[in-house]
Amino acid sequence: MARKKTKTKAKSKTTKQSKKISFVLSKQQKIVLGSFLFLLGLALLFSFISYFFSWQADQSTLNDLSDRSLQSQNWLNKFGAALGDFFIYQGFGLAAFTIAVLVTLTGFYYFFDKPKKRLQSFWFWGIIVMLWFATFLGFFSETSPLLGGMVGFELNDFLQDFIGLIGTILVLAFVAIVYFAVRLKLTPEHITHFFAKRKQAFASEFNSQDDEGNEFVDTAFDKDNIELPKEAPEEELEEPQLKTTPAQPAPAPTPVKEKETPKDADEDFEIEIEETVEEEEVVENLSTKLVQDFGEFDPTLELSNYRFPTIELLKDYTKGQSITVDQEELEENKNRIVDTLKNYKIDIAHIKATVGPTVTLYEIVPEAGIRISKIKNLEDDIALSLAALGIRIIAPIPGKGTIGIEVPNKNARIVSMRSAIASPKFQNAEMELPLTLGKTISNETFVVDLAKMPHLLMAGATGQGKSVGLNAILTSLLYKKHPAEVKFVLVDPKKVELTLFNKIERHYLAKLPDSEDAIITDNTKVINTLNSLCIEMDKRYDLLKDAMARNIKEYNAKFKRRKLNPNDGHKFLPYIVLVIDEFADLIMTAGKEVETPIARLAQLARAIGIHLIVATQRPSVNVITGIIKANFPARIAFRVTSKIDSRTILDSQGADQLIGRGDMLFTQGNSLIRVQCAFVDTPEVEKITDFIGSQKAYPEAHQLPEYVGEEGGTSLDIDASDRDALFMEAAEVIVTAQQGSASLLQRKLKLGYNRAGRIIDQLEAAGIVGPFEGSKARQVLVSDMNALHQQLNNE
């Protein structure tokens, strides 16, 4: 009973938390609320102004507001008189106008949907100013009760009772200093500088002209000006660091004077060094001054009103599901494990169960002298006794002195994406690219950082949860990262898995300049995109080199602090995540043309913020080659059909013993972690993309660098006299077969590969076959023999 109570409490906690997160006003609600507050503020303003002229005459109407025969002189009649009496006479006096201004300003902010951070600051400091003025005007409330109101009078009286008149004045002075220093950022230096500047301007104006408008020159100043150049170099050479500051333009003419008088070469050299140091100080101080004046650069400013998807868009699959497995099932499985091991003379000192969403982990401690390999070899026998699918033995569990036996639950629970996103572990994750993949055996939300992986390889048989896993990864980033911070390059050879993300093209997707669709489905465009990413990688490394930064995090931090000049080509660099849904299909059709750029990106791209997520159905060695595996330390394995596939993806067994439906093993180069992948359905992804797509976006998708691929054919053999002797015969073979490939010419005409390739190039130049399309046969542009002869005769 106690357990159930705690669980219900935990459940109510999560629902309360999710409600708190999802409180967002719609655009229409903001307009209605904003207009109401704006007009209410104006009403307060009018009632306060007229109250000062009519408050004495309106005292009688305040006694009986329900009597309609009594009329008030206030501009808002009885309502205005009541407001004025409450806020001015009974309240804050003249300082009550602050409330009217704050309410009007709040309405303005909500109506035009502006950021609310500044609004909170306005209210905080506005209330402090209102209380300060009310207390200050309380000194004069005895002569005029409307100046400070009752609140101002009582506050002033209260302070004087405890700290006296002088103490009250000192407290008010301190609050005023705090306001000027913190809110207005006014310091004594600013005040001194202002008066010094005014004095200097006045003096220069006085010295430049006399009363009649003529120029005024004083001989005393002339003598000083003659003597100054003789003293200035000596002072500068003695204490160069004290005299050269960016704010002093006076020493600038000094080097010109030095050239006229003969000096040693060393002194000239010292003066030049002094000038370069001054320039460096100016650059350093400039970036600091820019940050002080404008604040750090905010990459999200262009889409400052962007709202992240709400938790309500995700479905809660955990309603009505119990967190624990039936106690009888636990006891039954425990007894069967103990009995099976006893049959083989293996005694157990201790056994413990940890219940997960789909799998229960039984941790056993064998008696002394029992060999671990003996228990490991009994995997099939334990599976037979438990009549369960997917028994997995971990011997030993890393970091523990126990042996683990993972047994699937009879009634598996769905881990919803909503519960994973709403978990405090994900919400409070201080990571560059946080991913919530699901829940572990101990029911903890599993959160990892893609930026530290730095690339992810996913594999699993058909229907075991790879596409859902990709959707969970993309959903995690959409809930956590602003469109300015991350961009996706999506490759979908299946053409149906990632099409929903087309709606967020101008928010989150990146594509080639000449592409129509941001989601790449054509293998030729995949090759161009991968090579374009390699160009982007090289460009980013050049920017990091110029900025003297080691990685994208340091570079963006420098750019935000305004230490990098945009005129030199520097810009804020978003993370780029390349997602390939079916890698085996690309390797089959394009081979080395795809493998080479992917291997290059995997080796080098992590430092500049390009991360790869590659998924495949067939984790065989010819698809996941050694070069690719070496640069993908983080791997996810869903259920596979054989132990060989499990070794290929994980370098160990285990993936063949999973139970499917999102059950997966995750490794980042050390131990294996069993995770139940969070489930996010297609309608949920559609709601999220609709929510994001309906908001203001960038003018276009993020543009990748342009890449011009190598064409298979050339236009060199245009002249008919340079054509091969077998050109005509080859053209007839191609048109008859309607297949434009060099291998066909090799077989039919018994040619070598080089000659067949040259003839194909000549056929392309003649307009008989289409351009090179990777490993596919070229398209034949001539339909029959008559059209062929007609085309060749017209040349």
Side-chain angles (χ1 to χ4, degrees):
M1 291 297 288
R3 274 189 191 174
K4 285 182 183 176
K5 282 181 183 177
T6 15
K7 282 158 196 167
T8 48
K9 281 181 185 176
K11 216 175 197 182
S12 63
K13 257 189 182 177
T14 50
T15 49
K16 281 180 185 176
Q17 186 183 4
S18 64
K19 283 179 184 175
K20 188 177 177 183
I21 293 169
S22 63
F23 181 71
V24 177
L25 292 174
S26 67
K27 182 71 176 174
Q28 291 77 13
Q29 288 170 333
K30 286 180 181 178
I31 290 171
V32 172
L33 179 62
S35 56
F36 171 74
L37 291 174
F38 186 80
L39 295 174
L40 177 62
L42 291 179
L44 289 172
L45 198 64
F46 289 137
S47 65
F48 291 173
I49 292 170
S50 60
Y51 182 78
F52 277 94
F53 302 104
S54 61
W55 69 278
Q56 291 176 330
D58 290 342
Q59 288 299 316
S60 57
T61 61
L62 293 172
N63 297 328
D64 191 6
L65 292 172
S66 60
D67 189 358
R68 297 179 63 180
S69 62
L70 295 174
Q71 291 297 316
S72 172
Q73 294 183 18
N74 193 287
W75 293 346
L76 269 71
N77 214 326
K78 294 179 189 176
F79 176 69
L83 284 176
D85 183 69
F86 179 77
F87 282 105
I88 294 176
Y89 188 82
Q90 303 291 339
F92 307 96
L94 273 173
F97 280 94
T98 310
I99 293 176
V101 173
L102 289 174
V103 172
T104 309
L105 192 65
T106 306
F108 176 81
Y109 266 69
Y110 271 98
F111 189 85
F112 291 102
D113 199 11
K114 291 184 174 293
K116 308 299 181 299
K117 286 184 180 178
R118 292 187 65 191
L119 194 60
Q120 295 170 4
S121 175
F122 283 140
W123 271 94
F124 176 76
W125 290 107
I127 290 170
I128 288 177
V129 168
M130 182 177 69
L131 291 173
W132 190 92
F133 269 108
T135 310
F136 176 74
L137 295 171
F139 286 117
F140 316 104
S141 290
E142 291 182 2
T143 55
S144 177
L146 296 187
L147 288 177
M150 291 297 294
V151 172
F153 176 77
E154 292 295 338
L155 277 173
N156 190 292
D157 195 49
F158 175 79
L159 287 171
Q160 288 196 45
D161 286 344
F162 279 92
I163 58 178
L165 177 64
I166 295 175
T168 305
I169 294 170
L170 293 176
V171 168
L172 290 175
F174 174 72
V175 174
I177 290 168
V178 169
Y179 180 79
F180 284 118
V182 178
R183 175 65 174 157
L184 303 180
K185 294 182 174 54
L186 201 62
T187 61
E189 288 80 9
H190 288 146
I191 299 168
T192 311
H193 180 67
F194 174 78
F195 282 110
K197 203 173 180 183
R198 293 290 95 205
K199 185 179 177 183
Q200 188 180 358
F202 176 75
S204 62
E205 187 180 348
F206 176 76
N207 290 331
S208 62
Q209 289 186 349
D210 59 5
D211 294 335
E212 296 176 2
N214 301 320
E215 290 190 2
F216 179 84
V217 180
D218 192 350
T219 54
F221 288 118
D222 286 346
K223 289 177 184 178
D224 290 342
N225 288 334
I226 293 166
E227 291 171 4
L228 269 174
K230 295 177 184 177
E231 296 174 1
E234 292 176 7
E235 290 177 3
E236 288 180 1
L237 289 172
E238 285 174 10
E239 295 180 348
Q241 297 301 323
L242 293 175
K243 291 294 178 182
T244 52
T245 55
Q248 292 177 352
T254 305
V256 181
K257 298 282 184 182
E258 286 294 321
K259 286 179 184 176
E260 295 175 3
T261 57
K263 291 269 181 181
D264 291 338
D266 293 342
E267 289 183 0
D268 290 338
F269 183 68
E270 284 179 13
I271 292 169
E272 286 174 10
I273 289 173
E274 193 176 319
E275 287 178 358
T276 55
V277 170
E278 184 178 341
E279 287 174 7
E280 288 175 5
E281 287 178 2
V282 170
V283 172
E284 280 293 322
N285 292 336
L286 182 62
S287 66
T288 311
K289 191 173 186 304
L290 282 171
V291 172
Q292 287 175 353
D293 292 346
F294 302 103
E296 288 192 352
F297 172 76
D298 185 7
T300 65
L301 205 57
E302 192 173 349
L303 295 184
S304 56
N305 293 330
Y306 175 79
R307 291 181 294 125
F308 285 93
T310 60
I311 204 76
E312 303 298 330
L313 301 172
L314 295 169
K315 191 176 176 183
D316 188 6
Y317 294 93
T318 58
K319 285 182 180 176
Q321 293 187 357
S322 60
I323 297 175
T324 56
V325 175
D326 186 9
Q327 198 66 32
E328 291 181 7
E329 184 186 341
L330 281 176
E331 198 66 33
E332 187 182 348
N333 285 342
K334 185 194 81 170
N335 293 333
R336 285 183 178 179
I337 290 170
V338 172
D339 292 342
T340 306
L341 293 174
K342 272 186 180 176
N343 292 338
Y344 293 93
K345 298 179 182 179
I346 298 172
D347 293 327
I348 296 171
H350 178 67
I351 186 166
K352 182 181 101 175
T354 305
V355 182
T358 54
V359 174
T360 300
L361 173 66
Y362 294 88
E363 294 182 55
I364 61 173
V365 180
E367 293 284 359
I370 303 295
R371 300 180 70 178
I372 293 176
S373 58
K374 198 174 180 183
I375 299 175
K376 209 168 184 180
N377 293 333
L378 295 176
E379 195 170 61
D380 295 335
D381 299 284
I382 295 171
L384 179 66
S385 68
L386 294 173
L389 174 70
I391 296 291
R392 180 170 166 262
I393 293 181
I394 313 163
I397 296 176
K400 294 184 179 181
T402 57
I403 294 169
I405 301 174
E406 292 176 347
V407 182
N409 298 334
K410 288 181 181 176
N411 300 315
R413 288 188 303 110
I414 296 174
V415 176
S416 66
M417 194 69 199
R418 177 171 179 155
S419 63
I421 292 286
S423 66
K425 192 172 181 181
F426 178 72
Q427 291 292 331
N428 303 326
E430 294 182 359
M431 300 176 180
E432 295 299 313
L433 296 171
L435 308 178
T436 175
L437 299 177
K439 291 195 175 180
T440 61
I441 289 179
S442 55
N443 276 300
E444 291 180 7
T445 306
F446 187 67
V447 181
V448 287
D449 189 0
L450 178 61
K452 289 184 179 176
M453 287 185 185
H455 309 295
L456 179 61
L457 185 62
M458 300 173 67
T462 306
Q464 302 304 319
K466 286 191 314 304
S467 297
V468 174
L470 284 177
N471 284 338
I473 288 170
L474 293 171
T475 303
S476 301
L477 294 173
L478 292 179
Y479 268 90
K480 203 71 175 169
K481 305 304 287 184
H482 191 274
E485 297 172 324
V486 66
K487 300 294 177 186
F488 301 127
V489 178
L490 304 181
V491 178
D492 184 15
K494 294 181 189 174
K495 304 181 182 181
V496 293
E497 294 293 345
L498 301 173
T499 48
L500 286 174
F501 294 96
N502 261 327
K503 297 171 186 174
I504 59 170
E505 176 181 330
R506 291 189 296 137
H507 290 86
Y508 281 100
L509 300 191
K511 66 176 184 179
L512 292 172
D514 57 344
S515 291
E516 292 181 8
D517 297 326
I519 297 174
I520 306 153
T521 54
D522 185 10
N523 289 341
T524 310
K525 290 182 180 177
V526 173
I527 297 165
N528 292 342
T529 304
L530 292 173
N531 285 294
S532 172
L533 282 173
C534 289
I535 296 169
E536 174 73 12
M537 176 181 72
D538 294 334
K539 285 183 178 178
R540 288 191 172 199
Y541 268 117
D542 289 338
L543 290 175
L544 260 66
K545 178 185 172 185
D546 293 341
M548 290 187 289
R550 294 182 62 190
N551 52 51
I552 188 174
K553 192 175 179 181
E554 290 179 12
Y555 177 88
N556 283 339
K558 277 191 174 184
F559 189 81
K560 284 181 179 179
R561 292 199 302 270
R562 302 184 185 274
K563 288 191 173 182
L564 304 175
N565 192 348
N567 294 329
D568 297 335
H570 292 291
K571 58 183 177 181
F572 181 82
L573 300 179
Y575 285 92
I576 296 177
V577 180
L578 169 64
V579 179
I580 300 176
D581 188 21
E582 187 44 69
F583 186 60
D585 184 63
L586 290 181
I587 292 292
M588 286 172 63
T589 54
K592 288 285 181 186
E593 292 175 284
V594 166
E595 186 182 345
T596 304
I598 281 187
R600 190 159 179 260
L601 288 169
Q603 287 168 351
L604 300 171
R606 59 181 176 271
I608 45 87
I610 298 178
H611 302 281
L612 280 61
I613 300 173
V614 175
T616 180
Q617 288 181 358
R618 199 182 60 186
S620 53
V621 288
N622 60 336
V623 174
I624 304 172
T625 59
I627 298 173
I628 291 172
K629 277 183 70 175
N631 293 290
F632 282 79
R635 297 170 202 169
I636 288 176
F638 293 90
R639 190 184 178 197
V640 293
T641 52
S642 67
K643 291 182 180 179
I644 297 170
D645 288 347
S646 177
R647 285 197 193 98
T648 306
I649 181 70
L650 294 175
D651 295 326
S652 65
Q653 295 181 20
D656 55 314
Q657 297 162 327
L658 299 173
I659 59 173
R661 294 177 61 85
D663 189 19
M664 69 184 194
L665 290 171
F666 175 84
T667 179
Q668 206 165 346
N670 38 34
S671 60
L672 293 175
I673 301 169
R674 193 164 185 174
V675 180
Q676 177 61 39
C677 183
F679 180 68
V680 53
D681 205 359
T682 305
E684 295 174 74
V685 178
E686 195 170 1
K687 285 180 184 177
I688 294 168
T689 52
D690 285 339
F691 181 87
I692 296 171
S694 63
Q695 299 184 55
K696 179 186 173 184
Y698 295 106
E700 56 185 0
H702 183 76
Q703 297 293 309
L704 296 173
E706 190 173 359
Y707 172 76
V708 181
E710 297 179 4
E711 296 294 332
T714 65
S715 57
L716 299 175
D717 299 324
I718 296 175
D719 192 359
S721 59
D722 293 333
R723 287 174 179 168
D724 194 279
L726 293 175
F727 174 80
M728 190 64 192
E729 193 174 344
E732 290 174 353
V733 169
I734 292 291
V735 172
T736 304
Q738 286 293 304
Q739 182 183 349
S741 68
S743 58
L744 177 66
L745 296 181
Q746 285 179 269
R747 292 196 309 274
K748 295 288 185 181
L749 303 178
K750 298 178 182 178
L751 303 175
Y753 178 77
N754 292 335
R755 189 177 181 187
R758 281 196 300 272
I759 294 174
I760 286 288
D761 291 344
Q762 293 167 9
L763 290 170
E764 183 189 352
I768 296 169
V769 296
F772 177 71
E773 295 182 8
S775 58
K776 290 183 181 178
R778 294 171 185 253
Q779 185 182 359
V780 181
L781 305 176
V782 179
S783 56
D784 52 25
M785 298 299 290
N786 291 330
L788 172 65
H789 292 301
Q790 187 177 355
Q791 182 170 332
L792 293 176
N793 291 333
N794 291 336
E795 288 183 353

